[in-house]
Amino acid sequence: MSKHAKIPRHVAVIMDGNGRWATRRHLPRVAGHSRGVDAVRAVIESAGRRGIEFLTLFAFSSENWRRPADEVSVLMRLFLSALQKEVGKLRDNGVRLRIVGDLSAFAPELRQHIAEAEAQTAGNDRLKLTVCASYGGRWDIVQAVRALLAADPSVAAHPEVIDEALLARHLALAFAPDVDLLIRTGGEQRISNFLLWQSAYAELYFTDLLWPDFDAGALDAALAWYATRERRFGRTSAQIAVSP
Ligand code: IPE
Ligand code: IPE
Ligand code: MG
């Protein structure tokens, strides 16, 4: 067994707890979002060092549009400035950046910057970093159905040809394997409409740490816990012992 055999290929993170981090310090919630960006940088770096191939971060959900308009607009500005500040470093470090979600909800200027940032890192393949923004697992499944029908309208007359693999080809993360490890910070134990399809067999790791406090050591703790899990995918333990 290689020494990296127990490193998950695909780690997804629900980065929760920025608002509480700030409120506890009597700061405005946006201060927590801004410190959250620092935690994102640290986790990308350590994920790369640990040999994780795919890192998928939940930055803004379909439902987060329901937040007060001023918080939404600060989040959008932070997102834009982080893209502009960080993309050069990502490019130089072999990181391939993708932004997935219902981007039609974003301002044209932000969409333009997203396209440029993705293009700048398109030649990289060391760490595949995906930021889910304006993303929801249900949105993803609905858009996949629409895309499948648009790609091949004849499918509508023969729905029996649709299987899991065919639909999965149209999901927003079709380029990535299923999630192995799903981490949620901030103490809540729920999925909040993140990668519903892709996390079907993910190991779920919940920590009370608030996102701005999550660091390389916290990622290592999650990876150590993951390494102790037996992934059975429906089979029995005895079967796994014979052919892992
Ligand atoms: C996560 O932190 C960031 C986003 C959802 C954009 P929150 O803003 O949800 O922080 P809490 O959960 O209120 O502490
Ligand atoms: C989930 O956090 C979304 C992100 C981290 C981007 P929320 O704070 O929006 O989740 P709920 O609403 O508490 O479930
Ligand atoms: Mg929250």
Side-chain angles (χ1 to χ4, degrees):
M1 197 185 273
S2 93
K3 88 178 191 300
H4 294 304
K6 291 275 196 167
I7 290 284
R9 279 190 78 195
H10 187 173
V11 176
V13 188
I14 302 175
M15 308 184 291
D16 196 22
N18 293 347
R20 278 164 287 164
W21 184 94
T23 304
R24 280 180 199 174
R25 286 165 178 74
H26 308 288
L27 296 168
R29 289 177 57 82
V30 297
H33 296 314
S34 153
R35 285 297 288 265
V37 177
D38 299 337
V40 169
R41 196 178 301 114
V43 166
I44 294 170
E45 284 169 11
S46 56
R49 275 199 301 273
R50 292 286 172 265
I52 291 163
E53 286 177 62
F54 295 87
L55 177 66
T56 303
L57 304 176
F58 204 9
F60 192 86
S61 74
S62 311
E63 291 72 30
N64 288 146
W65 291 111
R66 298 173 183 157
R67 291 193 177 194
D70 56 347
E71 181 166 342
V72 170
S73 78
V74 169
L75 281 166
M76 292 303 139
R77 260 186 281 133
L78 260 181
F79 187 31
L80 183 57
S81 77
L83 267 183
Q84 289 171 321
K85 270 196 234 149
E86 307 295 332
V87 70
K89 197 157 55 147
L90 296 177
R91 185 196 54 221
D92 297 344
N93 287 314
V95 178
R96 165 123 197 217
L97 174 68
R98 292 179 177 90
I99 312 294
V100 312
D102 183 6
L103 304 187
S104 69
F106 289 146
E109 189 205 357
L110 181 51
R111 288 213 298 272
Q112 180 62 30
H113 282 284
I114 287 172
E116 282 165 16
E118 288 185 333
Q120 280 201 54
T121 67
N124 286 343
D125 69 352
R126 194 169 68 87
L127 171 65
K128 271 75 77 179
L129 169 67
T130 304
V131 175
C132 292
S134 191
Y135 178 89
R138 289 180 174 179
W139 164 83
D140 195 358
I141 293 167
V142 169
Q143 72 76 29
V145 171
R146 289 183 181 158
L148 168 63
L149 287 169
D152 183 359
S154 74
V155 163
H158 301 283
E160 68 281 1
V161 304
I162 302 175
D163 60 12
E164 292 179 12
L166 185 62
L167 186 59
R169 235 179 272 161
H170 297 278
L171 290 166
L173 269 80
F175 54 85
D178 280 354
V179 175
D180 297 304
L181 171 61
L182 174 62
I183 298 171
R184 181 173 186 142
T185 62
E188 310 294 352
Q189 303 198 355
R190 55 183 174 240
I191 301 291
S192 298
N193 197 18
F194 193 26
L195 299 164
L196 298 179
W197 177 292
Q198 299 86 345
S199 301
Y201 258 104
E203 301 296 330
L204 308 179
Y205 181 85
F206 299 104
T207 169
D208 289 335
L209 279 177
L210 302 173
W211 177 251
D213 294 326
F214 195 87
D215 57 12
L219 179 65
D220 281 346
L223 294 176
W225 172 85
Y226 174 85
T228 68
R229 309 315 303 160
E230 179 185 65
R231 306 195 69 201
R232 292 190 286 276
F233 298 99
R235 294 191 292 271
T236 66
S237 220
Q239 286 176 296
I240 303 300
V242 176
S243 64

